Amino acid sequence: MVLTEVVLGYAAFSVAKKVGIYVAARIYGFDRLYRLYLKSARRVVGPQRALRMGDGVKRAMRLPNRAWTRVRALLPPPPPAAAAASTTATTTAPKTTTTAPK
């Protein structure tokens, strides 16, 4: 019983940490993080190796979006009634025009 609580607590902490890092990266900007990483890596390992390492970092930054795209492809499409209701509300709005007085 205690072991399962520890494992669940560790899993929850691990997921929360990853979500926190992802949110911070979204706020700061992935492009800025990538450029900062390349700038730092060039100083440490040299420009050629930094570019190779940068490709891996770029793939890692794009992985959540690619994974979500694949998961969305597996999900069933939304029901037609919901899709039709959202489009008709915007297309059937009355058109108003304003003319300047003469």
Side-chain angles (χ1 to χ4, degrees):
M1 180 95 165
V2 174
L3 181 62
T4 57
E5 291 175 3
V6 170
V7 170
L8 287 177
Y10 179 74
F13 176 73
S14 178
V15 169
K17 183 173 63 169
K18 288 175 179 56
V19 168
I21 290 171
Y22 179 75
V23 168
R26 291 263 322 198
I27 291 170
Y28 186 73
F30 287 106
D31 53 342
R32 289 172 62 187
L33 282 175
Y34 178 71
R35 285 193 303 265
L36 182 65
Y37 169 78
L38 280 181
K39 185 178 177 182
S40 302
R42 278 190 208 115
R43 290 184 195 150
V44 175
V45 296
Q48 292 298 324
R49 189 163 179 206
L51 286 175
R52 285 197 316 260
M53 291 168 55
D55 288 339
V57 170
K58 190 186 300 185
R59 278 195 302 270
M61 287 181 167
R62 291 178 177 171
L63 184 65
N65 192 25
R66 291 179 63 201
W68 179 241
T69 301
R70 290 183 181 172
V71 167
R72 250 193 344 234
L74 297 174
L75 296 175
S86 66
T87 58
T88 56
T90 58
T91 57
T92 59
K95 305 239 182 211
T96 59
T97 58
T98 307
T99 58
K102 293 185 179 186

